Amino acid sequence: MDYLLQLAADPAAWVALVTLVAMEVVLGIDNLIFISILTNKLPEQYRSKARRIGISLALIMRLALLGTIAIIVRLTAPIFEVFGHGFSWRDLILIAGGLFLVWKATTEIHHNVDPQTHAEDVKDSKITIGFTAAIVQILMLDIVFSIDSIVTAVGMTEHIPIMVIAVIAAVTCMLLAADPLARFIEANPTVVMLALGFLIMIGMTLIAEGFGAHVPKGYVYAAMGFSTAIEGLNMLVRRRRTAGAGH
């Protein structure tokens, strides 16, 4: 208790908390985009449930990883070398997660470009299998994003309570934003393609990080923000033209 009181009275701890919450929220955007796109493929009555389960799993995953900080720190230690470059468990997880994201986003783009094939796939699949498959895929990416998130948190502060509060705050924001974001993506087909493009970029970034090429997150999110702003202008132009044609 004394430790928590001392931490609460430390201005540096509050600065670290605010910074870490902001960082965790930004890192959660990647996870949320994937969950939104994936759950939109489910029947309407299953979507919110799948989002809640997926985000809840993300929270459980992050809190569980926080309880094993010693293991997480060891995940960054090299376990073997290839051509002089050491690879850790974290590197391998990032590479696998990046490859999965690139594969998944590319597949979704193909389904959007060739809707007839996609319609046949949906017709041939069962709802229960689709729901289970969605949860499994969300869980796989939760593991990747959770490890990245916790490694970032460990690098920013050594205080476990600050990490826990930041993770809970970030996941709560994800939970609140999940349904509105998913509805927005579903209502705007061009945004779906933009979001899938983001997933490919994020996947490639994860792969690069896994191979030791550090990509500043600021560049990635600046590119995403710029693309989103351009798409917003395109949507505004289309809306104005539609309104003008109506008159």
Side-chain angles (χ1 to χ4, degrees), residues 99-122:
L99 289 171
F100 176 76
L101 264 186
V102 172
W103 169 78
K104 186 62 182 177
T106 303
T107 303
E108 293 299 320
I109 289 174
H110 172 69
H111 285 166
N112 280 275
V113 172
D114 191 3
Q116 184 175 356
T117 302
H118 177 54
E120 291 175 357
D121 292 342
V122 172

Side-chain angles (χ1 to χ4, degrees), residues 5-127:
L5 291 175
Q6 292 175 1
L7 202 59
D10 185 2
W14 285 99
V15 172
L17 176 61
V18 172
T19 304
L20 189 54
V21 168
M23 181 66 71
E24 292 293 327
V25 169
V26 171
L27 290 174
I29 292 174
D30 308 344
N31 206 351
L32 193 55
I33 290 174
F34 178 80
I35 290 174
S36 298
I37 291 176
L38 194 60
T39 54
N40 277 346
K41 293 168 62 64
L42 295 172
E44 182 71 34
Q45 65 269 28
Y46 293 96
R47 294 176 184 176
S48 291
K49 180 181 178 181
R51 289 177 203 125
R52 287 194 297 270
I53 292 175
I55 294 173
S56 298
L57 288 173
L59 176 60
I60 294 171
M61 197 82 61
R62 283 162 169 77
L63 293 178
L65 289 173
L66 280 174
T68 58
I69 288 295
I71 297 176
I72 294 299
V73 171
R74 285 201 298 269
L75 286 179
T76 60
I79 55 176
F80 66 89
E81 289 189 2
V82 177
F83 298 116
H85 176 71
F87 288 89
S88 65
W89 281 113
R90 176 178 177 266
D91 294 333
L92 298 180
I93 292 170
L94 290 179
I95 292 170
L99 289 171
F100 176 76
L101 264 186
V102 172
W103 169 78
K104 186 62 182 177
T106 303
T107 303
E108 293 299 320
I109 289 174
H110 172 69
H111 285 166
N112 280 275
V113 172
D114 191 3
Q116 184 175 356
T117 302
H118 177 54
E120 291 175 357
D121 292 342
V122 172
K123 183 179 179 181
D124 292 339
S125 63
K126 294 182 179 180
I127 293 175

Side-chain angles (χ1 to χ4, degrees), residues 133-145:
I135 296 301
V136 169
Q137 291 180 49
I138 289 172
L139 178 59
M140 290 172 62
L141 261 297
D142 278 346
I143 293 172
V144 177
F145 287 128

